[in-house]
Amino acid sequence: TNNTQTTATGGGEVTSDGGAIVTARGVCWSISPNPTTADSHTSDGSGTGTFVSNLTGLTPNTPYYVRAFATNSGGTAYGNEVQFSTLPNATLAVVTTSAATNITETTATSGGNVSSDGGATVTARGVCWNTTPNPTLANSHTSDGAGTGVFVSNLTGLTANTPYFVRAYATNSVGTAYGNEQTFATLPDSPCGQPITDTRDGKTYNTVLIGTQCWFAQNLNVGTKVLGSANQTNNSIIEKYCYNDLESNCDVYGGLYQWDEAMQYSTTEGVIGICPTGWHLPTDAEWTTLTTFLGGEAVAGGKMKETGLTHWAAPNTGATNSSGFTALPGGDRNGYYGNFENLTNYAFFWSSSQTDATGAWDRYLSDFSVTVGRDDTLKINSFSGRCIKD
């Protein structure tokens, strides 16, 4: 048993000593039938009973004959002969490459299948890619576990409108094997100001260039509605609150998200928070860049608010929306009491920057002022989300 390229396990049982003490026992082996102790053999103690023998120094991919032996004063007895073969020398693994799917401007999904480990454990696998043919581990690559079987790889950090070459790889003690080469091209980078479609649910969002930053011109509305009486659980799906539990309010003002929920996908696909791929929840510093460009917090709010009283309560002071940001007053959900507040009066927006274990920075606008407020608020509160382009 336990055959490898150079070792195996055997043994035997001395069922009778023949009336004299068994002074030696073990197994002997050869590449020819009827091996004896003149051939390679083990020494596995004395006496009767079962013993285990470790055969070493074998040649790969070779058939062997083996017999147990037991020696007493009357001579050496041999057991029945058994045969086995050592394993062939290990070779490179066999791996194929999956075609790229889910292609965006900066990401794609590929993977592969390690159909054979080559006789040695596959210790690393994944895909590698480059803008020139025959990529290797010296180029960008993923690490997607070990062993044989199918695996999925997420390619990130790609350049828009660029052709790529990708190959799966699998590494064992012999070396690294590469699969067949697949090619794909990333999508063109959409110019800011054009609508973008969230591939997760098909919703479309207007975008606007403000200074050097590209922003959503609408509040984010992604996820499954949960009732305001329940906490968002930050699990494998995105959950949202709709003001007064009405989906129609989400359709207009977007969803409301607790900070942990808004950040739950922060390590998935290279994004920060629940924005679509290629976009992220703005950091505190990115919010400051916006308000600074618009003349500072003291006046930026008027330039960011949607005009009129369709969605904002009167008097909607100083609203010009000259930036095109089109801020809407989605209100909030109070994290302590679980009640909704401030619809049409306030717009609260999360940043991705936390202040401590329980708090994070936000920005807010009101119906009675042109200022933009900055506050350290509890993460259990639920605010609107705006996305900024990576």
Side-chain angles (χ1 to χ4, degrees):
T1 62
N2 304 321
N3 301 8
T4 72
Q5 286 86 3
T6 59
T7 64
T9 301
E13 182 182 7
V14 182
T15 57
S16 171
D17 62 10
I21 295 173
V22 173
T23 56
R25 65 185 187 182
V27 298
C28 48
W29 67 91
S30 176
I31 59 174
S32 301
N34 301 314
T36 69
T37 53
D39 299 305
S40 298
H41 62 277
T42 65
S43 296
D44 299 304
S46 58
T48 59
T50 301
F51 59 92
V52 176
S53 306
N54 293 314
L55 291 66
T56 60
L58 309 178
T59 302
N61 201 31
T62 302
Y64 282 93
Y65 301 87
V66 61
R67 295 195 297 177
F69 71 89
T71 301
N72 65 9
S73 57
T76 297
Y78 294 95
N80 54 302
E81 184 174 79
V82 297
Q83 293 178 266
F84 73 97
S85 292
T86 49
L87 299 180
N89 273 326
T91 61
L92 291 174
V94 178
V95 58
T96 55
T97 311
S98 301
T101 59
N102 303 321
I103 300 167
T104 72
E105 294 93 335
T106 58
T107 64
T109 301
S110 182
N113 180 22
V114 182
S115 57
S116 171
D117 62 10
T121 301
V122 171
T123 55
R125 65 186 189 182
V127 298
C128 46
W129 67 91
N130 200 12
T131 55
T132 56
N134 300 315
T136 69
L137 288 176
N139 305 120
S140 299
H141 61 276
T142 65
S143 296
D144 300 302
T148 58
V150 175
F151 60 92
V152 175
S153 306
N154 293 315
L155 289 65
T156 60
L158 308 178
T159 302
N161 200 32
T162 302
Y164 282 93
F165 301 85
V166 59
R167 293 195 297 175
Y169 73 87
T171 301
N172 64 12
S173 59
V174 178
T176 298
Y178 294 96
N180 53 303
E181 186 170 79
Q182 300 276 6
T183 60
F184 70 95
T186 48
L187 299 181
D189 196 0
S190 300
C192 194
Q194 296 297 313
I196 72 105
T197 299
D198 190 340
T199 57
R200 295 171 297 182
D201 57 16
K203 290 187 175 71
T204 299
Y205 297 92
N206 295 323
T207 64
V208 60
L209 183 66
I210 307 176
T212 59
Q213 298 173 312
C214 187
W215 289 85
F216 271 22
Q218 296 171 245
N219 293 350
L220 185 65
N221 181 21
V222 64
T224 301
K225 181 174 73 73
V226 294
L227 297 179
S229 58
N231 276 327
Q232 293 170 345
T233 55
N234 190 21
N235 53 22
S236 58
I237 64 169
I238 303 173
E239 296 176 337
K240 67 180 180 182
Y241 295 121
C242 294
Y243 200 96
N244 285 345
D245 295 330
L246 297 175
E247 188 76 42
S248 57
N249 281 328
C250 275
D251 293 338
V252 175
Y253 299 99
L256 297 172
Y257 306 92
Q258 293 179 309
W259 191 87
D260 285 341
E261 185 73 19
M263 294 297 293
Q264 68 163 301
Y265 288 88
S266 61
T267 57
T268 301
E269 301 178 356
V271 303
I272 300 176
I274 55 176
C275 290
T277 300
W279 300 76
H280 61 273
L281 290 177
T283 64
D284 182 57
E286 286 174 321
W287 278 113
T288 298
T289 297
L290 172 66
T291 55
T292 299
F293 178 79
L294 295 177
E297 292 180 346
V299 297
K303 300 175 183 180
M304 294 168 63
K305 292 191 294 180
E306 180 191 67
T307 60
L309 303 179
T310 301
H311 299 116
W312 281 95
N316 197 13
T317 300
T320 66
N321 198 29
S322 60
S323 68
F325 188 85
T326 318
L328 292 179
D332 67 288
R333 175 187 176 272
N334 185 296
Y336 272 122
Y337 302 108
N339 60 299
F340 295 101
E341 306 170 325
N342 299 309
L343 186 72
T344 76
N345 299 116
Y346 281 90
F348 297 94
F349 299 106
W350 280 124
S351 82
S352 61
S353 303
Q354 59 183 335
T355 56
D356 54 33
T358 61
W361 291 114
D362 72 278
R363 296 296 191 278
Y364 62 90
L365 300 86
S366 70
D367 59 49
F368 58 84
S369 175
V370 297
T371 63
V372 175
R374 175 177 180 262
D375 196 16
D376 171 8
T377 192
L378 292 172
K379 295 177 182 179
I380 59 174
N381 292 326
S382 299
F383 292 163
S384 300
R386 279 291 177 109
C387 301
I388 185 172
K389 193 171 181 61
D390 293 351

